[in-house]
Amino acid sequence: MTCKDDGVRTEDVLAAIATGLWRWDNASGTVTLDSEAARLLGLPAEAVVLPEVAVRSRFHPVDWNEVNGIVNLAVAEGTLAEARLRIMDEDGRVLRTVRSRSKPVENRTADGQVDYELIGTIQEIAEPQPGTTAAHTPITGDWRRSREAFLLDAGRALAEARSTAEVLRVAASLSMPGFSPDGLAVFGVSGDRLSIIGHHGHDAGDETPFADMRLETDYPAAEVVRTGRAIYLPSPEDYKRRFPATWPLAQRFGRISWAFLPLIVAGRTMGAWMAAFKHPVSFSPDERSVLTTVARMLAQALQRAGVAESERQLTTGLQRSMMPQLGPEIPGMQIAARYVPTGGGLQVGGDWYDMIPLPSGRFALVIGDVQGHDVRAAGLMGQLRIAVRAYASEGHRPDAVLSRTSRFLAGLCSSQESDAYEDGAYEDSDFQSPRFATCLYVECDPRTGMLEVARAGHPDPAIRMTDGTVLMRPTAGGLPLGIVPDADYPTTSFTLEPGETMMLCTDGLIETGGHDLDTGWARLRAILEADPEESGAGPAPGHLERLADLLVQAVHGPSSHHTTGPLADRREDDIAVVLLCREGESCGCGTSLLHPARPARRTMLTVAQAEPERIAGARRQIRELLHDWADEEQVDSAVLMVSEMVTNVLTHTDGDALLVAEAVGELGGRRLRIEVADASDELPHKRHPGEMASSGRGVLLMEMLADTWGVDPQGEGKSIWFELYERSKPDPDPLD
């Protein structure tokens, strides 16, 4: 190329000012250099075409990473790429520093892929001499370190945001290195309309003119969405010149510089982000790089938040469709229930509860837990709930309801496994083992308070007595549903006395928070036994609802009837809990628990010949019944005698042992009476066992430990009983 007047070549002019030309072809991976550009890169001063790797080796590695990001930014924005680069010799020493200015040009290949060429100049720049005060900030200076630290913090904060509101709060709190905006706005797109999703640094109502506008509007955010390219307005003059129609709307905010960037996810522009400044900003390549990176992270965070919110809406609707309403009020009874799904994923799980009106005029309470916390568990839960409701509504007894449901689940899982084999999906861990479910089914007569319980591998119910004592009520049970198609489920009957409250729950309420069954039960027992006055949930209507809240809060903080969101996300297992209170004079649901005469505290338990392991349950029942007994030695004595009495029945008779325990009187002066009845007419007699004998000490223990004891013959069988009178714990011996 030459000048028409004097024939001077452009290349000679550029060489005279130490400026070279280069062309970088991304498609072929080659770089074309003129002689001056080659000289500046430390190569022979002659025009040459080199592989990209040969040119890259001449740049300082840190600077190459920098220029690569600047080039990508220029390609995205359609602007010039400007960078400062250090040129290295073969020994790794810095030869000189050059400034590169180039223009990316897109080229579309025959197969539709987009590549680009960089056409630009390289010019040597003078470095400040040692001892001078020339202003020069190297690319590897403090600003870069501050920028990288900022981007790491911003990325982490945006990645942790769970909702659109949280994303906007994080965006508003970002403090960019050296040029933090004081006004932010995020615009969303719906059809052909642009609206504000959120803003910061503006007063309420300032967003009204921008709240709903067409994409054809002469406004920077609208143009950014239409074109997908960022717009930088360093001064009010730039804004007024490019967007005269909307300048009066922006002028009143008193900003000096603006940046509008597209929010792009997977190639789709989902909105725009505005950053406004009250101080002048030149929007250098480094500053544009920071803004572009933040916009990219912001777009991804908003996309994730939108998906998460959609999933929460979906799962909330799914939960509400699966979880029943407790139905109409039942005379003489109050019921409260809570369900909280586990965290992660779709936040659905396999726990459920139900209340079923029965043809006999009674009603049934059901609580269950399907193995797993995934979508399949939720699907099985819905099917099981329907099956239980159907069998109960047909009028079947509790044992038959669970037997039929177990057969239904076993057949359902077998059918799903066959389908998985046919579809080739059995390798998926979701199908590698059959699912089972635990369940507790309680049929209740609201008139008498009689409860008939059938249990399939589920935790036993707990009973809160009228004086606040809480006992785990042992019940007969069978295997979890679905393990054996024809399993038997024996029933246990007992009466819920007026003023007593029964709690049914899944193991998530007990074990969440690192607890096992024992420590978790102790935590819940403290909540159930707390004085309603002390807990703030005084004995008034609605107490049962507040008690349900307290139980869930004891696990992980406040809850609602169906909790989702961050609270649910922190939970280790699904939680379901149902409370049933039979109203009465001393019921915590209504009138005061404080009576002049303290009500009797009693429990009853059957130990069958085929269930000797339930002797341990009998011992635990006595300890729980006497949890506030003054003398611990008397409690130990009562437990020992009960163990001996029940063991004798199972050893020396062919029948079951019926244990009845009752404590009456005021604290510190109570009387404990325990009876164990059996169907044998043979009366106990005192024996004199030898030193090595393993039996024969029952009567001796009664004489030594009981305040009084006896044997009452009955029509069929007998009843052995003993009584203990509560005494204060003896003072310690001062010589001990």
Side-chain angles (χ1 to χ4, degrees), residues 15 33-48:
L33 306 171
D34 69 359
S35 59
E36 182 63 17
R39 184 191 70 80
L40 290 173
L41 293 182
L43 301 171
E46 58 185 26
V48 65

Side-chain angles (χ1 to χ4, degrees), residues 630-648:
D631 189 348
E632 295 180 2
E633 291 186 358
Q634 285 188 308
V635 175
D636 293 337
S637 298
V639 170
L640 178 59
M641 287 187 286
V642 165
S643 183
E644 180 71 18
M645 294 162 66
V646 175
T647 301
N648 281 340

Side-chain angles (χ1 to χ4, degrees), residues 263-274:
L263 299 176
I264 301 175
V265 177
R268 182 179 67 88
T269 302
M270 57 179 293
W273 174 47
M274 181 201 76

Side-chain angles (χ1 to χ4, degrees), residues 700-718:
L700 295 177
L701 287 174
M702 303 279 278
E703 289 182 343
M704 292 174 58
L705 302 178
D707 289 323
T708 181
W709 70 281
V711 179
D712 294 337
Q714 298 178 345
E716 291 185 2
K718 63 181 179 299

Side-chain angles (χ1 to χ4, degrees), residues 590-670:
T591 58
S592 174
L593 297 174
L594 304 178
H595 293 281
R598 196 172 187 88
R601 181 189 301 178
R602 65 175 61 88
T603 187
M604 181 172 61
L605 177 67
T606 299
V607 180
Q609 283 283 337
E611 297 178 310
E613 66 277 2
R614 297 193 68 187
I615 296 177
R619 292 194 293 263
R620 185 173 59 251
Q621 280 278 289
I622 298 304
R623 287 198 179 277
E624 292 181 350
L625 187 76
L626 304 178
H627 69 95
D628 57 352
W629 199 264
D631 189 348
E632 295 180 2
E633 291 186 358
Q634 285 188 308
V635 175
D636 293 337
S637 298
V639 170
L640 178 59
M641 287 187 286
V642 165
S643 183
E644 180 71 18
M645 294 162 66
V646 175
T647 301
N648 281 340
V649 172
L650 299 187
T651 303
H652 301 296
T653 74
D654 296 328
D656 301 337
L658 175 63
L659 168 69
V660 179
E662 181 181 67
V664 297
E666 295 298 323
L667 295 177
R670 289 171 291 184

Side-chain angles (χ1 to χ4, degrees), residues 360-596:
S360 61
R362 300 182 175 188
F363 68 92
L365 291 178
V366 189
I367 192 166
D369 182 359
V370 177
Q371 175 198 14
H373 310 122
D374 51 17
V375 175
R376 186 180 177 219
L380 286 176
M381 176 268 285
Q383 291 171 297
L384 278 182
R385 176 177 166 253
I386 294 172
V388 171
R389 178 171 279 267
Y391 296 140
S393 299
E394 290 176 354
H396 296 291
R397 303 296 297 165
D399 56 341
V401 170
L402 292 191
S403 295
R404 290 169 182 258
T405 304
S406 182
R407 190 178 305 116
F408 167 81
L409 179 58
L412 184 63
C413 290
S414 176
S415 174
Q416 290 183 349
E417 288 178 30
S418 299
D419 293 342
Y421 272 118
E422 294 177 2
D423 297 340
Y426 198 76
E427 294 301 322
D428 188 343
S429 61
D430 192 41
F431 290 97
Q432 288 181 0
S433 61
R435 295 292 180 104
F436 62 86
T438 66
C439 185
L440 187 66
Y441 183 97
V442 182
E443 183 174 316
C444 177
D445 185 340
R447 183 179 59 84
T448 64
M450 177 61 68
L451 306 178
E452 293 186 66
V453 182
R455 185 171 60 86
H458 201 84
D460 283 308
I463 304 296
R464 183 186 190 275
M465 299 181 174
T466 54
D467 69 342
T469 300
V470 178
L471 300 180
M472 187 74 78
R473 185 64 170 84
T475 58
L479 293 172
L481 304 175
I483 293 182
V484 178
D486 298 319
D488 292 327
Y489 296 98
T491 59
T492 301
S493 299
F494 61 91
T495 300
L496 189 67
E497 301 293 342
E500 292 185 343
T501 299
M502 178 177 66
M503 181 189 76
L504 314 177
C505 70
T506 57
D507 57 3
L509 185 69
I510 301 174
E511 296 181 330
T512 295
H515 290 270
D516 57 23
L517 286 175
D518 292 332
T519 61
W521 165 238
R523 171 182 56 180
L524 297 179
R525 180 175 176 174
I527 299 297
L528 290 168
E529 289 183 344
D531 188 336
E533 295 290 347
E534 294 178 355
S535 68
H543 164 67
L544 210 61
E545 295 290 339
R546 290 188 289 274
L547 180 58
D549 285 334
L550 289 173
L551 290 169
V552 176
Q553 289 170 19
V555 177
H556 263 312
S559 71
S560 60
H561 291 205
H562 304 290
T563 304
T564 58
L567 169 62
D569 290 344
R570 295 191 299 271
R571 298 190 180 274
E572 304 161 18
D573 196 1
D574 305 331
I575 290 174
V577 58
V578 178
L579 299 175
L580 173 67
C581 178
R582 185 180 180 194
E583 295 178 347
E585 292 183 356
S586 55
C587 177
C589 306
T591 58
S592 174
L593 297 174
L594 304 178
H595 293 281

